[in-house]
Amino acid sequence: QVRLVESGGGSVQAGGSLRLSCAASEYTYRMAWFRQAPGKEREGVAVSYSGGGTYYADSVKGRFTISRDNAKNTVSLQMNSLKPEDTAMYYCAAATSYSLAPLRPQTYNDWGQGTQVTVSS
């Protein structure tokens, strides 16, 4: 089991930026960020593959950037132009295999504890 620890959440006004980081206890093939707002389902935000590929949800394309450091087993999410609808608990996730649906939470084996992001208008 991979242990994941997130950091970097907080509160920001609309239009601002935040950077989230996730440290994994070991190498993982696919790492991703998800978010879940109260009363809503967990939503995939961005995916990073160990070979450098990335994948984004339409709702964050052009605003969020996922990056990873394979040597340090870390993945980060740079969030710019934040909107109130981005408010949610953000989770880091890890998977050991390829999936045709990389934003589906069911395709991930391990999860972090989450970090809160709040965007005020």
Side-chain angles (χ1 to χ4, degrees):
Q1 186 175 6
V2 179
R3 183 164 52 90
L4 302 167
V5 179
E6 302 102 333
S7 61
S11 297
V12 66
Q13 289 190 328
S17 298
L18 282 174
R19 185 177 180 88
L20 307 181
S21 295
C22 173
S25 59
E26 60 187 77
Y27 163 84
T28 55
Y29 166 67
R30 175 164 50 107
M31 297 185 75
W33 287 97
F34 285 78
R35 64 187 181 186
Q36 188 166 18
K40 294 188 176 181
E41 293 186 352
R42 191 164 294 191
E43 173 191 23
V45 174
V47 182
S48 174
Y49 296 89
S50 59
T54 57
Y55 189 83
Y56 294 92
D58 289 343
S59 59
V60 305
K61 282 181 181 177
R63 300 189 299 122
F64 292 10
T65 302
I66 190 170
S67 60
R68 68 188 288 173
D69 184 332
N70 288 329
K72 297 181 179 179
N73 294 329
T74 59
V75 64
S76 298
L77 186 69
Q78 178 66 42
M79 305 185 294
N80 298 329
S81 302
L82 282 161
K83 304 174 181 180
E85 51 263 45
D86 294 318
T87 295
M89 185 71 78
Y90 282 70
Y91 298 89
C92 179
T96 57
S97 61
Y98 177 81
S99 171
L100 291 174
L103 291 179
R104 289 189 63 200
Q106 295 88 342
T107 67
Y108 290 83
N109 311 104
D110 300 289
W111 295 85
Q113 80 288 351
T115 185
Q116 179 68 37
V117 171
T118 302
V119 184
S120 58
S121 57

